[in-house]
Amino acid sequence: MLKRFVDVRDEEVGAVLGAFVYFFTLMCGYAILRPIRNEMGTAGDVKQLPWLFTVTFGVMLLAVPAFSALVARYPRRVVVPRVYRFFLFNLLAFFALLKWGVAKEGVARAFYIWLNVYNLFVVSIFWSFMADVFASDQGKRLFGFIAAGGTTGMMVGPFLVGRLAEPVGPVNLILVSAVMLEVSAQCVRRLGHWARDVQHQPATREGPVGGGVLAGLRLLVTSPFLFALGLQVLLYAATSTFLYYQEVQLVASLAKDAASRTAAFADIDFWVQVLTLALQTLVTGRVISRLGLGVAMAVAPVLTLVGLGVLAFAPVLTVLIAVKSFRGASHYALERPSREILFTTVDREARYKSKSFIDTVVYRGSDMLSAWLQGGLTALGLGMMGLSLAAVPLAALWLAVALYLARQQRTRAAETLPQTTLPGGTTA
């Protein structure tokens, strides 16, 4: 049945389904938490968001070297599950504090910051693990379907929150997310066994990465290819922050209590993921295999350019939902899988350390700078029209970087062609 929709080999079926479930549970758990986080950010006053982004960035600066130290010393089968279970215990602690009503405002802000760290770390680790388990040619065939697992989770999560937030209460849904995270940790173990027993990866691929704790930053600034990948993430995050501010303001003006705000954010997330899943199942594989990474990576910035222009002259919630839906769908269905394919052409140190630095510190650094920039522009009197137009040049630069990366990928693929069929991937 799976072969009717995905170009998968017999020996890959179990691993692909396991990766699908892994990403589904990971993203479903996060999607349950995200509307709760957004409601806390809205309830805590939109004007405080730049400070929350700044603190988040500071936490990232501490967390990334700690993660680099772990992957340098311990094998992936140890590091990945333990990082997930560390976050699981954090979730249980937040549940207890929120349930008991301890320091509500402080705990709410801490939860907001924690989830901003959590979501980038767990997803970055997931894709680093995928790039380590699957080869480059496998990624082109399979990453679209695997990404659909995350999209399905991002649909199911908001759907559950939208229907359970009011009758059950948002805080109780945290326990469901904790269960999902434990299932994800179990999937890591099973995929590791498959990579060793079926993929026949050498023992060195499971071992510690080695290197220094700041290697991710060093590689980023010395490699034009990795630097461009970092710039791409920075520009995507910057435009996302501009749109997020407008979403928070529009929802805050329409929904007045915690449960209704949580449900509104969940509904927005739901429709973004519905369109994303449709694209991933019907379009992603065909675009990447037939039209190439250049087209796949260009769609999201082009739609962002158009969407910001439309939103500038029609700043209403229905238009925002449409813009976020098409933009988010193109990002998750086309750009994100394409970017993860690019990481299959770099060595393991860059795959775990530079990637985690880009996906976390660079992303949240962009959030922080964009938040303060938007705050400054708002203080100068720019309304939603001005803010939308101010983000247009960022989207244009994002498009240029995407096209550059696509050209580099063709060159790097040609240089490593003899190695691409080896089990476990290739190195740059």
Side-chain angles (χ1 to χ4, degrees):
M1 178 67 72
L2 182 62
K3 292 183 179 180
R4 297 178 61 182
F5 303 99
V6 184
D7 183 12
V8 59
R9 312 292 187 255
D10 289 337
E11 68 276 9
E12 297 168 343
V13 171
V16 169
L17 291 176
F20 184 95
V21 172
Y22 176 6
F23 207 22
F24 169 83
T25 54
L26 195 67
M27 299 312 294
C28 185
Y30 165 64
I32 289 171
L33 299 174
R34 187 162 71 168
I36 302 171
R37 176 205 66 180
N38 289 344
E39 190 284 319
M40 289 179 178
T42 304
D45 188 354
V46 174
K47 295 179 181 179
Q48 298 298 320
L49 291 179
W51 288 105
L52 294 176
F53 281 130
T54 302
V55 175
T56 301
F57 177 69
V59 174
M60 286 294 192
L61 289 177
L62 298 175
V64 170
F67 175 72
S68 294
L70 288 175
V71 297
R73 185 174 179 181
Y74 299 102
R76 69 188 184 197
R77 70 176 187 277
V78 173
V79 173
V80 178
R82 288 188 179 179
V83 170
Y84 285 169
R85 290 193 176 107
F86 168 77
F87 283 121
L88 190 154
F89 289 132
N90 291 169
L91 265 179
L92 296 178
F94 276 118
F95 170 78
L97 292 173
L98 291 169
K99 197 70 174 176
W100 294 334
V102 178
K104 291 184 178 180
E105 185 175 340
V107 172
R109 290 179 179 176
F111 181 79
Y112 188 96
I113 294 168
W114 176 86
L115 192 62
N116 285 345
V117 174
Y118 164 84
N119 79 300
L120 293 183
F121 249 108
V122 296
V123 174
S124 178
I125 292 171
F126 169 82
W127 282 115
S128 293
F129 187 67
M130 291 298 102
D132 213 20
V133 168
F134 294 101
S136 181
D137 61 321
Q138 291 175 312
K140 292 178 181 178
R141 292 186 288 107
L142 305 175
F143 278 6
F145 177 77
I146 292 172
T151 303
T152 307
M154 290 295 289
M155 287 176 56
V156 174
F159 181 83
L160 291 175
V161 174
R163 277 115 196 106
L164 297 177
E166 296 190 47
V168 175
V171 173
N172 292 322
L173 295 175
I174 292 177
L175 293 179
V176 180
S177 180
V179 173
M180 294 284 185
L181 187 55
E182 175 57 28
V183 175
S184 299
Q186 293 296 326
C187 289
V188 172
R189 181 175 60 84
R190 293 182 179 273
L191 284 167
H193 290 326
W194 175 85
R196 182 191 63 210
D197 300 335
V198 179
Q199 192 86 326
H200 302 299
Q201 286 189 350
T204 54
R205 291 295 296 273
E206 288 195 18
V209 173
V213 297
L214 298 179
L217 175 59
R218 175 181 56 79
L219 293 170
L220 179 64
V221 298
T222 56
S223 167
F225 184 70
L226 291 173
F227 183 83
L229 280 167
L231 184 58
Q232 182 199 31
V233 170
L234 184 146
L235 293 167
Y236 165 72
T239 54
S240 297
T241 301
F242 272 77
L243 288 171
Y244 174 64
Y245 262 71
Q246 298 189 47
E247 177 186 356
V248 168
Q249 290 172 342
L250 287 172
V251 171
S253 67
L254 297 174
K256 302 303 181 183
D257 61 271
S260 61
R261 285 193 298 265
T262 302
F265 283 119
D267 287 339
I268 292 173
D269 289 344
F270 175 75
W271 287 112
V272 169
Q273 302 310 321
V274 167
L275 186 55
T276 301
L277 184 61
L279 287 177
Q280 283 174 329
T281 54
L282 300 175
V283 177
T284 300
R286 294 177 176 87
V287 169
I288 293 178
S289 61
R290 297 180 185 178
L291 301 181
L293 293 181
V295 173
M297 296 175 69
V299 174
V302 168
L303 288 178
T304 302
L305 272 169
V306 175
L308 287 168
V310 174
L311 193 60
F313 296 97
V316 295
L317 188 59
T318 54
V319 173
L320 178 68
I321 292 174
V323 171
K324 289 202 68 174
S325 296
F326 284 101
R327 176 185 186 271
S330 62
H331 168 70
Y332 291 111
L334 297 172
E335 187 197 43
R336 186 64 189 261
S338 298
R339 180 156 61 88
E340 302 311 334
I341 290 171
L342 298 179
F343 274 105
T344 63
T345 66
V346 302
D347 61 31
R348 294 190 75 220
E349 188 169 33
R351 194 173 297 154
Y352 279 97
K353 295 182 180 180
S354 292
K355 178 171 171 51
S356 67
F357 188 90
I358 290 170
D359 289 348
T360 57
V361 174
V362 172
Y363 194 109
R364 289 308 178 204
S366 177
D367 278 347
M368 178 188 68
L369 294 175
S370 301
W372 286 109
L373 175 61
Q374 177 146 336
L377 294 175
T378 301
L380 293 175
L382 268 69
M384 292 190 70
M385 174 186 288
L387 293 173
S388 294
L389 294 176
V392 167
L394 299 177
L397 181 57
W398 177 18
L399 174 60
V401 173
L403 295 176
Y404 166 80
L405 283 169
R407 290 195 300 270
Q408 289 296 307
Q409 162 64 14
R410 288 194 295 271
T411 301
R412 295 168 71 86
E415 291 175 350
T416 59
L417 185 60
Q419 297 176 306
T420 55
T421 57
L422 289 176
T426 61
T427 58

